[in-house]
Amino acid sequence: MKKTLILALLVVGGAAFSTASAQGKKKEKKNRQQTEAACDTACQKIELKTSADSVSYAAGMSMTVGLDAYLTKRVGLTKEQMPDFLRGLKYGIEHRKDSGFAAYAAGMEVATQVEKSMLPNVESQFEGSSEKIDAEMLYRGFLAALEKDTTFFRQAAAEDFFRTRQTAVKNEKMAFNKAAGEKFLAENAKRPGVITLPDGLQYRIITQGTGPTPNTTDRVRVVYEGKTLDGKVFDATSKHGTEFDTFGVGGLIKGWTEALTMMPVGSKWEIFIPQNLAYGERGAGRDIDPYSALIFTLELKGIEEKPAETTGMKEKPVVKATPAKPAAKGGKPAARKK
């Protein structure tokens, strides 16, 4: 309910502000005057005459907890923009039962979803291709479909054309990534200190530890950083606000599992993982394309012993090697199986 309210507040605030700015200063002034007039009723001096009045008023205040942070951190509103937000909010409250306004607000909500989620997803799929997505043209097509405009495409034809190009670009990128990974690993194998295993996994020892070596049933504590071949860091322990990440060795991508089961505690390695030992044809989110070879710096801090059962109660895990100072568990490691 709280999430729905926050979204509704954002929509009505953005709707009034966007309409005013789009129609020029003159109409903006007129809209502001109308909004302020509409607020005369909603914002007039009130009195809390009954217990129900007090509860209702307090409920309204309580429902805004976290909204300030959401608006600034997630939406990107600045302090200077808050008066515009509040003006739109007041207008939305005054017209909340107006079906026409509700439809307008729904349009703003869909526009926000396209801008924040759908558009970036499509852009990432075509990034680096000769058919880079043009945002303005995409919006024109979006509107044309809803307005039943068939000047250039009928709906089914547009979907078929897009899917065909989407698949072609995906195949081109996969072929490129696969070839780039193979070329990189072939050249990397010639570097001093790089060891190549029979399945293609490569590693370079930065620090060799002297502690025990984990097996696939162990849980380990590690510090890591993951990069694509172009040097982009897509995940790291440092991004999680913790001193280490903890997870099961057997639940990771093959390249990580294989490397960890060879690393004594205290070791720090750089590992180079072929696509077939990483995420393969699936890729992982927006940062890791299908058939991408990956590079990780991996430091093994400790192994957690399996809980022992005594009189029906489990003991707390004990670390075999003295780890860094305990901290809260961080985000999900990028090398975990998807």
Side-chain angles (χ1 to χ4, degrees), residues 70-313:
Y70 183 89
L71 292 175
T72 55
K73 295 180 181 179
R74 297 290 299 276
V75 181
L77 292 187
T78 64
K79 184 178 180 180
E80 292 71 25
Q81 292 173 321
M82 287 304 293
D84 292 314
F85 168 76
L86 290 172
R87 186 166 63 251
L89 175 59
K90 292 171 183 176
Y91 187 86
I93 292 173
E94 183 70 18
H95 296 81
R96 64 188 183 277
K97 295 183 179 181
D98 182 340
S99 60
F101 184 82
Y104 184 85
M108 285 297 298
E109 179 180 352
V110 171
T112 299
Q113 291 176 353
V114 174
E115 180 69 19
K116 300 295 185 181
S117 179
M118 299 170 72
L119 174 59
N121 180 49
V122 174
E123 286 179 328
S124 68
Q125 293 178 42
F126 284 79
E127 185 178 1
S129 75
S130 60
E131 298 176 326
K132 185 177 180 180
I133 294 297
D134 182 308
E136 294 305 316
M137 198 60 71
L138 180 144
Y139 278 116
R140 286 178 178 272
F142 193 94
L143 289 170
L146 294 175
E147 292 171 349
K148 310 304 179 184
D149 182 349
T150 58
T151 300
F152 299 106
F153 288 103
R154 292 187 179 277
Q155 183 72 33
E159 292 176 15
D160 289 341
F161 179 78
F162 175 69
R163 278 196 298 266
T164 298
R165 296 311 305 149
Q166 184 183 42
T167 300
V169 168
K170 181 179 179 180
N171 290 337
E172 290 170 8
K173 292 178 72 172
M174 289 193 300
F176 175 82
N177 290 335
K178 191 173 183 180
E182 291 172 353
K183 180 180 179 181
F184 170 82
L185 292 169
E187 295 175 351
N188 192 59
K190 302 174 185 177
R191 289 177 54 200
V194 173
I195 299 171
T196 302
L197 300 177
D199 61 3
L201 179 69
Q202 298 177 351
Y203 66 93
R204 180 177 67 87
I205 298 175
I206 300 173
T207 302
Q208 182 67 7
T210 58
T213 301
N215 58 48
T216 57
T217 60
D218 282 326
R219 292 187 61 80
V220 293
R221 294 178 174 179
V222 304
V223 173
Y224 73 93
E225 179 182 81
K227 298 185 295 185
T228 50
L229 296 186
D230 60 4
K232 179 181 179 181
V233 177
F234 57 82
D235 198 12
T237 299
S238 61
K239 293 185 176 183
H240 304 159
T242 60
E243 295 186 30
F244 51 77
D245 287 285
T246 305
F247 49 89
V249 176
L252 306 170
I253 58 175
K254 294 179 180 179
W256 264 54
T257 298
E258 185 175 2
L260 283 169
T261 53
M262 297 188 295
M263 294 176 66
V265 170
S267 296
K268 183 177 181 179
W269 290 8
E270 185 175 27
I271 58 176
F272 311 90
I273 307 180
Q275 57 83 17
N276 60 302
L277 300 180
Y279 296 101
E281 64 179 350
R282 296 170 298 160
R286 293 181 56 189
D287 296 317
I288 304 175
D289 290 330
Y291 293 107
S292 293
L294 302 174
I295 304 170
F296 287 92
T297 301
L298 181 58
E299 184 175 3
L300 180 57
K301 290 291 189 178
I303 306 172
E304 293 186 351
E305 288 189 349
K306 299 177 180 66
E309 294 189 6
T310 56
T311 63
M313 297 183 67

Side-chain angles (χ1 to χ4, degrees), residues 48 50-63:
L48 304 182
T50 67
S51 176
D53 289 342
S54 298
V55 170
S56 301
Y57 191 86
M61 295 192 71
S62 299
M63 291 171 73

